[in-house]
Amino acid sequence: MCSCGWTGELYELDWGEIGEQKPAEAGAGAEDTCMQDWDGHTEEVERSAVPLPQPITALLFRLGEEIEKPAKSSPLAALRAARLMEVTAVQAGYWPAHDARQDTSPEQAAAALELNEDAARKLIARFGRWSPYR
């Protein structure tokens, strides 16, 4: 299941036909089909999401890499860095959350953020620092 609420089609295996095959071998075809469905869904979601400027995407990727570097030798340092990144994200998202709440419908927000409507509402509320229930 995807965070947007999508669930792929159910592909059941016929255990009578499988016989003595190992489950991993017997289910390989269904697994490939499920992965194709998932790939198609994620591509569709990515097309509907609000695009991020490439410098931001690159910076976030690099930041994630840098935070992972001390993780083995000093997990608390990596955790502290992740916590500071979280604080920065909340600070940076405050006004955009307020603007998004006023300027977009729940459906638009969900599509742009690659979430379902409930998760998008809660995210905007968290960044905007108001209750998601009002």
Side-chain angles (χ1 to χ4, degrees):
M1 179 177 198
C2 182
S3 64
C4 75
W6 176 87
T7 56
E9 190 173 327
L10 179 64
Y11 298 100
E12 293 187 18
L13 299 178
D14 183 346
W15 293 101
E17 288 182 18
I18 290 173
E20 298 298 318
Q21 292 182 54
K22 293 180 180 179
E25 293 171 4
E31 178 185 17
D32 289 343
T33 303
C34 289
M35 290 306 299
Q36 289 172 2
D37 289 354
W38 175 253
D39 290 344
H41 171 69
T42 57
E43 288 170 10
E44 180 181 320
V45 168
E46 185 64 31
R47 281 191 302 273
S48 71
V50 65
L52 290 177
Q54 195 281 332
I56 292 176
T57 302
L59 183 61
L60 290 171
F61 181 78
R62 174 119 164 87
L63 185 57
E65 286 182 328
E66 290 299 317
I67 289 173
E68 288 178 3
K69 286 180 182 179
K72 291 207 190 298
S73 62
S74 182
L76 289 175
L79 188 57
R80 181 169 182 235
R83 171 71 178 125
L84 290 173
M85 186 170 67
E86 180 181 53
V87 168
T88 301
V90 169
Q91 291 171 342
Y94 180 80
W95 288 113
H98 282 264
D99 292 343
R101 184 182 193 193
Q102 290 180 335
D103 300 341
T104 60
S105 70
E107 297 85 11
Q108 291 169 323
L113 298 171
E114 301 181 56
L115 299 169
N116 63 39
E117 287 182 31
D118 186 54
R121 178 181 53 79
K122 288 177 180 174
L123 178 76
I124 292 170
R126 181 167 57 90
F127 278 100
R129 298 185 200 129
W130 62 78
S131 170
Y133 304 107
R134 62 176 183 139

